[in-house]
Amino acid sequence: MIPHVKVQLGKEEEDRVIEVLRSGMLAAGSYVQEFEDEFKRCHDSLYGIATSSATTALHVIVEAMGIGAGDKVITTPYSFIATSNAILHAGATPVFADIDPVTYNLSPTALERAVKNHPEAKAVIVVHLFGLPADMDEILAIANKNNLIVLEDCAQAHGAIYHDQKVGTLGRASAFSFYPSKNITCGEGGMVLTDDPVIEEKVRILVNQGQRRRYYHEMVGYNYRMTNIHAAIGLEQLKKLDLYNQKRIENAKFYDDHIVNPCIQKPVSPPDRKHVYHQYTLKVKNRDALTAYLDANGIGYGIHYPLIMPAQPAYKDIATCSGTWPVAEDLANCCVSIPVHPALSQSDLTTIVEVLNHYR
Ligand SMILES: *Cc1c(COP(=O)(O)O)cnc(C)c1O
């Protein structure tokens, strides 16, 4: 069985964690700040605030923007649920604009339409899905014209580049995830990046129980802090990010070059951006047949995602969730992600290609 996801942790992570355990500084500690500093430094960002997850990072970003009850935030219908949940957690309402059929990211045309229908929308959360940067020039232009704050969900795109600029530095603030399946992990964890000191301050206070000074609570905050244990793992993982991404890109290139099957549509990576292949997602007409075939051949896979966000049962009472998003719905019916993680061997890759090329 070739697994769809394989977490890579080494002695470096082990040693650091043991060091933290022995220090007794399990919660707050120097590694949290060190991880923030390293992460912001490699993004040329002014501020980095570590959090417990990308979900909590997104939540406090939205709240720090002053977005809440009665406000609308535009986003893609095609992402992990956390993207739109963060909008709801802040008390606001998500408005979904369909995706582009080539990049699977938020379509600028659909965004423009959503702004026309919801001129009161305050912000847009862009997701760089599967590791591919969204069409940022077009999206930023539309946002500027319409006074929309641009926020980035970079949970799947650590190190991805759009026109020589790393994702996470293109909007007002961004969120990253360090969940085990992501390009690098802490176990659970997240990071907010921003160049705006006002947002930085609010986010920092919100994630720490609304306090700047211990036991003086200026806001009703949360415990969304990252622990020193998680940060220790993150620090070691961050050193390996470029290597991991390079391997993901090489694996994807092998698939691009060798998967030749008219039943299978491969993902597209526009030349003006660096795709870091969190997922390598295929499109097939009869997905159940392909997944049964992959099961039979011992190849792991993932369905990202079987349901678009507005169609989730949890969203059934939200008015903005009735409608159609045909491009996203089609992808939800046809998508299959195959293993692309850095632990794949050449023989794994060859096996996967052979199996896919024999699929009829
Ligand atoms: C994983 C993911 C999240 C949530 O990240 P957590 O750290 O698990 O909270 C948010 N958005 C996207 C696009 C994701 O893939």
Side-chain angles (χ1 to χ4, degrees):
M1 172 76 184
I2 302 173
H4 172 240
V5 174
K6 188 152 193 285
V7 179
Q8 298 213 89
L9 295 163
K11 183 148 180 3
E12 301 80 9
E13 287 85 350
E14 284 176 21
D15 288 349
R16 280 257 196 182
V17 168
I18 288 166
E19 193 189 312
V20 172
L21 294 179
R22 289 185 179 155
S23 78
M25 300 295 288
L26 305 188
S30 61
Y31 286 150
V32 178
Q33 198 190 329
E34 212 175 302
F35 187 38
E36 289 174 343
D37 289 346
E38 280 303 302
F39 202 81
K40 77 176 188 210
R41 191 189 53 77
C42 74
H43 283 86
D44 263 328
S45 214
L46 287 182
Y47 306 105
I49 307 102
T51 62
S52 53
S53 70
T55 308
T56 57
L58 284 166
H59 173 190
V60 288
I61 288 172
V62 175
E63 210 168 300
M65 296 294 163
I67 294 168
D71 292 330
K72 286 178 177 166
V73 177
I74 302 172
T75 192
T76 166
Y78 205 89
S79 177
F80 179 58
I81 193 76
T83 311
S84 55
N85 273 355
I87 299 167
L88 291 160
H89 291 155
T93 305
V95 166
F96 297 99
D98 209 349
I99 57 169
D100 179 89
V102 175
T103 65
Y104 306 155
N105 281 320
L106 182 66
S107 148
T109 323
L111 173 62
E112 209 150 26
R113 222 177 306 126
V115 179
K116 283 219 174 71
N117 293 334
H118 303 272
E120 74 280 25
K122 291 266 168 67
V124 54
I125 301 183
V126 174
V127 181
H128 306 296
L129 194 76
F130 302 150
L132 177 66
D135 294 322
M136 293 309 290
D137 279 354
E138 294 84 345
I139 290 168
L140 287 165
I142 296 164
N144 280 338
K145 210 170 64 191
N146 295 282
N147 258 320
L148 276 181
I149 301 165
V150 177
L151 306 173
E152 298 175 79
D153 179 340
C154 305
Q156 304 187 356
H158 320 63
I161 295 174
Y162 181 82
H163 295 182
D164 301 326
Q165 206 175 331
K166 278 195 180 150
V167 303
T169 63
L170 297 151
R172 282 279 290 285
S174 60
F176 290 80
S177 171
F178 306 111
Y179 183 75
S181 62
K182 313 292 180 174
N183 294 39
I184 51 171
T185 185
C186 291
E188 293 271 12
M191 186 76 72
V192 174
L193 290 183
T194 185
D195 281 349
D196 184 329
V198 178
I199 295 164
E200 191 261 348
E201 190 178 30
K202 276 197 187 152
V203 165
R204 210 171 267 295
I205 294 171
L206 278 172
V207 301
N208 189 23
Q209 304 285 19
Q211 61 189 348
R212 200 185 315 244
R213 213 174 127 202
R214 197 156 212 193
Y215 304 133
Y216 291 84
H217 305 275
E218 303 168 29
M219 300 176 206
V220 179
Y222 309 93
N223 175 359
Y224 285 174
R225 298 177 304 254
M226 178 179 280
T227 75
N228 212 27
I229 305 170
H230 293 92
I233 302 170
L235 267 172
E236 293 302 331
Q237 286 271 299
L238 186 56
K239 294 182 193 162
K240 304 174 184 176
L241 174 61
D242 288 342
L243 203 73
Y244 287 166
N245 279 345
Q246 197 44 47
K247 189 69 172 69
R248 285 177 181 274
I249 290 164
E250 283 166 24
N251 294 345
K253 172 93 170 62
F254 189 79
Y255 291 149
D256 287 343
D257 291 346
H258 294 92
I259 297 174
V260 274
N261 184 332
C263 309
I264 294 171
Q265 189 182 321
K266 290 176 280 187
V268 173
S269 175
D272 64 341
R273 56 202 91 171
K274 178 177 173 182
H275 194 327
V276 292
Y277 292 98
H278 172 61
Q279 298 295 346
Y280 190 93
T281 301
L282 307 171
K283 264 187 88 179
V284 279
K285 287 243 156 55
N286 187 352
R287 179 173 58 209
D288 288 349
L290 179 65
T291 55
Y293 173 81
L294 291 173
D295 281 331
N297 283 280
I299 292 169
Y301 58 86
I303 307 297
H304 306 102
Y305 295 94
L307 264 189
I308 64 168
M309 296 188 301
Q312 292 290 346
Y315 286 15
K316 65 182 185 312
D317 297 329
I318 301 170
T320 49
C321 294
S322 59
T324 56
W325 296 270
V327 185
E329 284 159 32
D330 176 55
L331 184 60
N333 290 328
C334 302
C335 62
V336 181
S337 307
I338 58 172
V340 72
H341 58 77
L344 291 171
S345 67
Q346 187 54 48
S347 108
D348 293 334
L349 292 165
T350 310
T351 303
I352 293 167
V353 165
E354 272 174 15
V355 167
L356 286 171
N357 285 345
H358 281 101
Y359 174 69
R360 288 292 170 269

